[in-house]
């Protein structure tokens, strides 16, 4: 059950900045941390951002996360060809007592 | 190296059972919550179940409640998912994921396995 809404796709040219939105509600994004995952083609997901805006060791600072109210955003600056992947947000939902993922966004580098 | 490796997937008929396993290594297993996340072919990620470090807190997505059971054996560094009454809609790649913290809520899935495929079909 995807209760977090993301745009199906975003695209940009190398070097550009793209932003992916993640819209939720007061029971998930509005009251809990948001994490972002990157899934390169044919591979397992990888944690990209945790706690709304923290980057795990090894994740380039080109990736940044933020949130406001019941929405969150992932920005990729200095877009590179290797950033072509699917990106998903996720958060704990207090009403469902479980995690909900976003619908996923495919990033294409033109 | 920190890693988790899933096993136990396969082709099963509707209504039958399957047990997935996840072997963890390279980290202190009983310091982490653990989770199962699935991905149906061509679809997005769906959290299935999670278990806290000491099995004191367990949760499931509504669609599997009463059919799936998550468990862990900290002595064996292993996570399990017993899946009963399987349905075609359970067909997916099942990932084992390590939690960054001990508890379920506000966790982050910081290590993922490569997944084990479960196909439910007659």
């Amino acid at each position: 059950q995807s209760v977090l809404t993301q745009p199906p796709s975003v695209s940009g040219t190398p070097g550009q900045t793209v932003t992916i939105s993640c819209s939720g509600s007061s029971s998930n994004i509005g009251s809990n941390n948001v994490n972002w995952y990157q899934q390169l083609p044919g591979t397992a997901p990888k944690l990209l951002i945790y706690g709304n805006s923290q980057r795990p060791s090894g994740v380039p600072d080109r990736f940044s996360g933020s949130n406001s109210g019941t929405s969150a955003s992932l920005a990729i600056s200095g877009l590179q060809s290797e950033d072509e992947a699917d990106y998903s947000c996720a958060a704990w939902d207090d009403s469902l007592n479980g995690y909900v993922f976003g619908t996923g966004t495919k990033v294409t580098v033109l | 190296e920190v890693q988790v490796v899933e096993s136990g997937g396969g082709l099963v008929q509707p209504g039958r059972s399957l047990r997935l396993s996840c072997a963890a290594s390279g980290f202190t297993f009983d310091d982490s919550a653990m989770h199962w996340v699935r991905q149906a072919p061509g679809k997005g990620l769906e959290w299935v179940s999670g278990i806290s470090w000491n099995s004191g807190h367990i949760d499931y997505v509504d669609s599997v409640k009463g059919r799936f059971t998550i468990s862990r054996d900290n002595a064996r560094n292993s996570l399990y998912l017993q899946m009963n009454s399987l349905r075609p809609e359970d067909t997916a790649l099942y990932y084992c994921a390590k939690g960054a913290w001990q508890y379920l809520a506000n966790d982050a899935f910081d290590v993922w396995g490569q997944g084990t495929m479960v196909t439910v079909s007659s």
Side-chain angles (χ1 to χ4, degrees):
Chain A
Q1 54 200 19
S2 294
V3 298
L4 303 182
T5 303
Q6 300 179 231
S9 63
V10 298
S11 61
T13 56
Q16 277 190 328
T17 296
V18 297
T19 301
I20 301 169
S21 61
C22 173
S23 178
S25 68
S26 58
S27 62
N28 41 67
I29 295 178
S31 53
N32 294 294
N33 289 332
V34 176
N35 304 317
W36 289 89
Y37 299 90
Q38 177 194 57
Q39 190 171 22
L40 297 170
T43 70
K46 167 190 168 185
L47 179 64
L48 197 65
I49 296 287
Y50 68 94
N52 301 319
S53 59
Q54 305 303 306
R55 284 185 306 276
S57 173
V59 173
D61 59 6
R62 304 186 292 103
F63 295 91
S64 62
S66 64
N67 69 341
S68 177
T70 58
S71 293
S73 295
L74 173 72
I76 309 173
S77 61
L79 193 64
Q80 300 181 4
S81 58
E82 56 260 40
D83 298 334
E84 276 208 345
D86 291 323
Y87 293 82
S88 297
C89 56
W92 177 263
D93 191 293
D94 292 330
S95 296
L96 299 174
N97 279 324
Y99 283 93
V100 288
F101 277 92
T103 46
T105 298
K106 181 175 179 59
V107 169
T108 300
V109 181
L110 302 171
Chain B
E1 179 189 7
V2 177
Q3 65 175 358
V4 293
V5 179
E6 306 91 339
S7 61
L11 173 63
V12 62
Q13 293 179 327
R16 304 297 292 265
S17 299
L18 210 55
R19 189 194 196 207
L20 305 184
S21 298
C22 171
S25 60
F27 64 97
T28 305
F29 185 69
D30 57 11
D31 263 354
S32 300
M34 296 295 295
H35 304 266
W36 290 99
V37 177
R38 67 184 178 184
Q39 187 169 34
K43 302 296 185 182
L45 299 168
E46 180 182 42
W47 177 83
V48 175
S49 181
I51 184 169
S52 63
W53 67 283
N54 62 353
S55 304
H57 183 189
I58 289 173
D59 273 309
Y60 302 92
V61 66
D62 282 349
S63 60
V64 309
K65 282 180 182 175
R67 300 188 299 123
F68 290 12
T69 302
I70 191 172
S71 62
R72 64 189 295 162
D73 185 339
N74 287 346
R76 295 178 182 269
N77 290 347
S78 294
L79 175 73
Y80 307 100
L81 186 67
Q82 178 66 42
M83 304 186 296
N84 299 332
S85 303
L86 282 161
R87 304 168 179 168
E89 54 265 36
D90 295 319
T91 294
L93 185 61
Y94 283 73
Y95 292 105
C96 169
K98 170 188 171 296
W101 323 119
Q102 292 185 328
Y103 301 98
L104 289 195
N106 280 310
D107 201 359
F109 312 145
D110 62 357
V111 178
W112 296 66
Q114 289 306 303
T116 186
M117 187 67 200
V118 173
T119 303
V120 184
S121 174
S122 54

